[in-house]
Amino acid sequence: MNSRSSIYAYLEKPSMVDYPKHFAAVFFTSGCNFACGFCHNAALMGKKQAGLSWERLENACTKFKKDWVNGVVITGGEPTLAPDLVELIHLFKDRFGFDVKLDTNGSNPELLAECLPLVDYVAMDIKTGFSGYPDLVHYSATANIQRSIDLIRAEAKDYEFRTTVIESFHTDEQMDEVAKIIEGSKRYALQAFIPRDELPGKAFRTLPRTTAARLHQLKARMAGTADEILLRGA
């Protein structure tokens, strides 16, 4: 075992919004193979950084357990780039008894397939229609994205797909592509884009926040493509 884990940081206070129906500890891996200018975790993008020692990670879990935490979110960065992801899941579940939610961009279906029997919930970003991936996130291997979607729908215990809607990019045409991608899924969330000064793409920092009207419009447009369509930030 490497002396350091792939967990780079964690929220000191548990979250009530990051894992449905759970009081959850949120752990971050570093490094990502997408380059989203609107990423709210920009500090975790790019090259992989030194992680916490396993001892420090276990101490954090012990504290969270005492604080009535019952779930863990592994997010990033992109967690499926972490070579010890399976080991981390076993630590959280077997050692401490947490339910585990995994966030992913869907770019590593091979490791995702290994993780699906272990985790309790998967949240996968559908960044846009496949035709928009090269421009929006600088990633073009959309066959990997499709494979991950198929794996999650077939094998995940519980899951959601989600899209952060940027009104100037996520046109009706792009969202019609997304509707085809998610058709027949269990749960899909439309999330508001919120501009921030620290976003990595300067052009995104001054874009308007997604309006509630646009989110509701898209919910109606995409009705029937998933069993449940959620709005976040409307």
Side-chain angles (χ1 to χ4, degrees):
M1 179 191 293
N2 194 305
S3 62
R4 291 187 174 271
S5 72
S6 290
I7 297 298
Y8 170 68
Y10 59 90
L11 297 181
E12 290 192 8
K13 294 184 178 180
S15 168
M16 298 183 71
V17 298
D18 288 278
Y19 188 167
K21 301 178 182 178
H22 285 75
F23 189 46
V26 181
F27 291 93
F28 299 90
T29 63
S30 64
C32 188
N33 53 347
F34 285 12
C36 306
F38 55 97
C39 180
H40 282 191
N41 292 336
L44 304 176
M45 290 173 59
K47 67 178 182 179
K48 194 166 183 63
Q49 304 180 58
L52 304 178
S53 69
W54 287 96
E55 181 181 9
R56 184 175 173 190
L57 182 58
E58 290 180 13
N59 289 341
C61 290
T62 299
K63 180 182 181 300
F64 283 129
K65 195 73 175 176
K66 292 178 180 177
D67 290 339
W68 305 101
V69 164
N70 62 352
V72 159
V73 178
I74 307 175
T75 190
E78 172 49 39
T80 63
L81 298 181
D84 56 0
L85 180 57
V86 170
E87 192 173 356
L88 287 165
I89 295 169
H90 279 300
L91 172 72
F92 293 136
K93 287 189 69 70
D94 302 342
R95 176 82 179 273
F96 291 96
F98 296 126
D99 290 343
V100 175
K101 171 179 175 272
L102 176 65
D103 291 347
T104 183
N105 62 21
S107 62
N108 190 346
E110 290 79 11
L111 185 54
L112 178 63
E114 196 174 346
C115 294
L116 283 175
L118 307 175
V119 299
D120 303 282
Y121 196 99
V122 180
M124 178 178 159
D125 293 319
I126 309 294
K127 298 295 185 179
T128 187
F130 287 160
S131 68
Y133 265 71
D135 287 338
L136 187 64
V137 301
H138 305 282
Y139 182 84
S140 57
T142 53
N144 287 338
I145 308 300
Q146 184 64 65
R147 187 175 168 208
S148 291
I149 291 168
D150 294 342
L151 283 166
I152 289 168
R153 282 199 289 223
E155 299 179 22
K157 297 182 180 75
D158 202 359
Y159 70 92
E160 68 180 55
F161 299 116
R162 59 193 184 186
T163 301
T164 298
V165 178
I166 301 168
E167 292 193 40
S168 57
F169 189 92
H170 291 94
T171 61
D172 286 351
E173 290 75 20
Q174 279 293 331
M175 296 308 292
D176 287 347
E177 278 193 54
V178 174
K180 292 178 181 178
I181 293 168
I182 66 161
E183 188 170 7
S185 299
K186 180 177 183 179
R187 188 178 298 110
Y188 176 64
L190 291 156
Q191 302 180 157
F193 163 77
I194 302 172
R196 293 180 181 174
D197 290 340
E198 65 271 20
L199 294 181
K202 291 183 179 179
F204 291 91
R205 298 173 190 173
T206 56
L207 291 179
R209 176 183 173 129
T210 315
T211 63
R214 178 57 173 162
L215 293 178
H216 282 282
Q217 181 188 50
L218 287 175
K219 182 178 181 179
R221 187 179 186 91
M222 303 175 80
T225 57
D227 294 343
E228 183 180 10
I229 298 181
L230 307 174
L231 299 183
R232 294 181 180 144

